[in-house]
């Protein structure tokens, strides 16, 4: 039924669930002839590939037909462990508990500001600025550059769709980011590298008694900005959009805030902000009668796996009561050694958004003459704009 599918084309992933259902059921592994990459869909297949790090490696790239760079996500084995360990202590659940007070202050301020407005854009006014401010604080990004960073990263991430999408605009945004990185780097050197922000941590760090080189610093810095700002935004906005359309579930979160952490997991499953990550086979690997040859790439289609009927009852139903102790844990953050470094931060940001919204806002309404606009991308899923009228409690 679905033939010659171009999995790198952004439009392929606009309203993709009928297509994902087809592949989940009939063709669990598919060779995309145009891009010469494999795609898998089922939950168990994504898990098996993520776990088999001897066979499936990251160092040949995690985007289709795009080579890797020196950031941790493109490293394997020991090198990956070492790069990740340099900053992992900044993202532990314990560290997040320390950040909660500051994060809540930001969430409260953003929701209060929205309540003064007759009409808001939940992406622009809450979902984008909350994660942006927090990751910018952690990285020590100058205040006046934060909005530009957000715009550059939003442009650059479209380059992750595939080589055809690495446009001049993407390259220009990358150049702008490099200039900012160099300014931030120089400012820290001038100050004697005494700060506690993550860029300074990297600058002071050593792996095998050697400092990180220029390009490791640049690409780690870029990766944290990308992870920090682009994904959580879509989970917050996408989750609130679902709840705007399911007022009984929204009210249930107000009546019983203890449900909110479960709602966060359901939002992550439902939205699944990353469409996929790719791996490269280091040896031939047989799956459902097809062979992924050594050197070929395979895409892990997370939003399909997160609605695999083998794992979830009524998978297309958004249900904040879904019992994740009886059903599988979602794969929105991936799995294995590359499991999302920022998962605790993302969970905190989504939870606080839900807590502060349900406390102060009785109902989220989408104005009759407006529509939510969705992003079109084969890398990230989410909303461009979310116009809304907020009824205060
Ligand atoms: C809802 C929000 C988020 C989602 C859905 C998400 C999803 C993911 C996924 C799917 C991966 C790849 C996992 C794999 O290959 O198995 C990943 C890796 C990563 N994420 Fe996130 N992420 C989110 C938020 C964040 C935040 C807030 C940060 C940082 C501030 C972050 C930083 C990273 C980093 C650094 C990696 C690479 C980890 C490694 O290679 O060891 N992410 N994320």
């Amino acid at each position: 039924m679905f033939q010659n599918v171009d999995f790198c084309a952004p439009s392929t992933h606009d309203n993709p669930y009928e297509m994902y259902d087809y592949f989940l059921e009939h063709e669990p592994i598919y060779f995309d002839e145009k891009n010469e990459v494999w795609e898998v869909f089922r939950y168990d297949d994504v898990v098996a590939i993520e776990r088999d790090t001897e066979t499936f490696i990251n160092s040949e790239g995690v985007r289709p037909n795009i080579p890797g760079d020196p950031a941790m996500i493109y490293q394997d084995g020991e090198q990956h462990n070492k790069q990740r360990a340099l900053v992992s202590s900044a993202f532990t659940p314990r560290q997040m508990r320390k950040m909660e007070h500051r994060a809540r202050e930001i969430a409260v301020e953003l929701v209060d500001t929205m309540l003064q407005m007759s009409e808001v854009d939940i992406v622009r006014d809450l979902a984008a600025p909350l994660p942006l401010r927090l990751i910018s604080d952690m990285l020590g990004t100058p205040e006046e550059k934060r909005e530009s960073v957000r715009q550059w990263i939003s442009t650059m991430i479209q380059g992750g769709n595939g080589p055809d999408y690495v446009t001049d605009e993407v390259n220009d945004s990358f150049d702008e980011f490099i200039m900012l990185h160099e300014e931030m780097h120089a400012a820290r050197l001038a100050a004697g590298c005494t700060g506690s922000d993550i860029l300074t941590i990297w600058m002071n760090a050593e792996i095998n008694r050697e400092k990180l080189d220029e390009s490791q610093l640049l690409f780690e810095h870029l990766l944290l900005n990308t992870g920090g700002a682009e994904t959580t935004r879509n989970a917050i906005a996408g989750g609130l959009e679902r709840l705007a359309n399911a007022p009984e579930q929204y009210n249930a979160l107000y009546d019983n805030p203890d449900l909110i952490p479960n709602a966060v997991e359901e939002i992550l499953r439902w939205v699944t902000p990353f469409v996929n990550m790719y791996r490269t086979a280091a040896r031939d690997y047989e799956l459902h009668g097809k062979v992924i040859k050594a050197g070929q790439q395979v895409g892990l289609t997370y939003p399909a796996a997160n609605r695999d009927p083998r794992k979830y009852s009524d998978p297309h139903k958004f249900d904040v009561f879904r019992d994740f102790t009886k059903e599988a844990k979602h794969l929105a953050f991936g799995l294995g050694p590359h499991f999302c470094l920022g998962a605790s931060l993302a969970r905190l940001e989504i939870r606080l958004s839900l807590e502060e919204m349900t406390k102060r806002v009785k109902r989220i309404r989408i104005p009759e003459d407006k529509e939510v606009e969705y992003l079109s991308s084969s890398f990230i899923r989410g909303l461009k704009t979310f116009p809304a009228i907020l009824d205060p409690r």
Side-chain angles (χ1 to χ4, degrees):
M1 188 167 121
F2 288 92
Q3 285 171 346
N4 304 321
V5 184
D6 173 357
F7 274 91
C8 293
S11 59
T12 299
H13 301 272
D14 299 344
N15 301 314
Y17 285 105
E18 197 188 330
M19 177 187 76
Y20 293 160
D21 280 350
Y22 166 81
F23 284 110
L24 279 165
E25 179 64 25
H26 302 288
E27 278 191 80
I29 173 159
Y30 177 81
F31 189 66
D32 167 349
E33 304 269 349
K34 175 166 188 291
N35 302 295
E36 300 187 338
V37 291
W38 293 94
E39 302 289 334
V40 298
F41 306 90
R42 287 188 186 163
Y43 187 101
D44 284 344
D45 296 338
V46 171
V47 168
I49 291 174
E50 291 254 28
R51 288 211 170 120
D52 185 352
T53 53
E54 291 290 308
T55 308
F56 292 102
I57 58 172
N58 282 32
S59 48
E60 298 289 315
V62 298
R63 304 307 313 142
N65 301 312
I66 297 183
D69 65 41
M72 70 179 91
I73 197 163
Y74 296 105
Q75 309 306 315
D76 294 311
E78 213 29 42
Q79 182 63 25
H80 168 253
N81 292 342
K82 287 182 177 164
Q83 280 183 228
R84 184 169 164 124
L86 297 179
V87 288
S88 53
S89 59
F91 293 95
T92 55
R94 193 160 155 250
Q95 197 58 30
M96 293 306 116
R97 282 194 288 280
K98 287 196 198 153
M99 270 176 62
E100 177 157 347
H101 179 69
R102 168 81 186 124
R104 190 179 296 281
E105 272 176 1
I106 301 173
V108 168
E109 182 202 315
L110 293 168
V111 174
D112 281 350
T113 307
M114 288 200 297
L115 282 169
Q116 320 269 313
M117 298 156 73
S118 54
E119 193 181 311
V120 301
D121 173 355
I122 290 182
V123 176
R124 180 197 62 202
D125 299 325
L126 173 68
L130 176 62
L132 178 70
R133 280 204 211 168
L134 287 170
I135 193 66
S136 302
D137 282 353
M138 292 175 84
L139 290 165
T141 312
E143 292 277 349
E144 69 283 3
K145 293 290 165 89
R146 295 179 176 189
E147 180 50 26
S148 304
V149 172
R150 192 193 64 70
Q151 285 173 20
W152 300 331
I153 304 281
S154 282
T155 306
M156 265 187 271
I157 206 155
Q158 293 302 340
N161 293 343
D164 293 350
Y165 303 89
V166 184
T167 57
D168 288 349
E169 241 193 321
V170 169
N171 287 323
D172 291 348
S173 292
F174 183 42
D175 289 343
E176 298 268 16
F177 182 80
I178 294 175
M179 278 192 284
L180 172 66
H181 169 79
E182 285 173 354
E183 276 170 34
M184 288 173 63
H185 185 252
R188 279 156 184 74
L189 280 180
C193 277
T194 50
S196 57
D197 61 79
I198 295 180
L199 182 53
T200 307
I201 293 176
W202 278 318
M203 287 173 67
N204 288 327
E206 289 183 359
I207 292 182
N208 304 333
R209 305 222 185 109
E210 281 189 35
K211 294 249 185 224
L212 304 193
D213 65 28
E214 281 297 312
S215 93
Q216 282 172 316
L217 288 174
L218 169 69
F219 284 101
E220 292 287 39
H221 187 190
L222 179 62
L223 176 67
L224 278 204
N225 270 298
T226 312
E230 276 301 301
T231 46
T232 320
R233 177 187 75 197
N234 293 316
I236 295 171
L240 287 170
E241 187 222 6
R242 255 310 66 221
L243 290 166
N245 288 303
E248 68 299 339
Q249 297 198 46
Y250 182 80
N251 292 336
L253 301 183
Y254 172 69
D255 293 338
N256 181 8
D258 290 348
L259 253 183
I260 289 180
N262 201 62
V264 170
E265 300 311 307
E266 177 64 347
I267 286 172
L268 285 161
R269 185 193 74 88
W270 175 267
V271 178
T272 312
F274 274 129
V275 176
N276 47 39
M277 290 288 171
Y278 283 75
R279 297 290 188 262
T280 303
R283 61 168 179 90
D284 289 2
Y285 183 88
E286 196 182 326
L287 185 64
H288 304 299
K290 308 249 169 92
V291 179
I292 304 173
K293 295 234 170 65
Q296 288 184 321
Q297 279 188 303
V298 55
L300 314 172
T301 316
Y302 297 123
N306 277 343
R307 299 206 191 179
D308 185 339
R310 288 157 202 79
K311 297 290 163 179
Y312 298 103
S313 59
D314 216 349
H316 295 297
K317 185 175 171 203
F318 175 79
D319 181 6
V320 295
F321 297 95
R322 188 175 290 280
D323 187 349
F324 286 100
T325 63
K326 298 208 177 104
E327 301 197 351
K329 291 195 167 56
H330 65 74
L331 296 174
F333 292 126
L335 197 80
H338 291 277
F339 178 82
C340 177
L341 178 73
S344 297
L345 175 60
R347 286 184 162 121
L348 172 71
E349 292 167 343
I350 304 165
R351 173 169 63 78
L352 292 180
S353 300
L354 294 183
E355 286 177 4
E356 295 310 321
M357 283 293 283
T358 49
K359 252 190 249 167
R360 293 176 160 69
V361 176
K362 194 158 148 206
R363 178 123 193 246
I364 305 168
R365 286 183 294 129
I366 300 175
E368 274 170 23
D369 57 335
K370 299 262 171 68
E371 271 180 17
V372 169
E373 267 184 279
Y374 296 91
L375 286 166
S376 188
S377 166
S378 55
F379 188 11
I380 52 164
R381 289 170 39 73
L383 278 62
K384 250 198 224 163
T385 60
F386 179 0
I389 296 169
L390 306 184
D391 297 339
R393 279 212 188 270

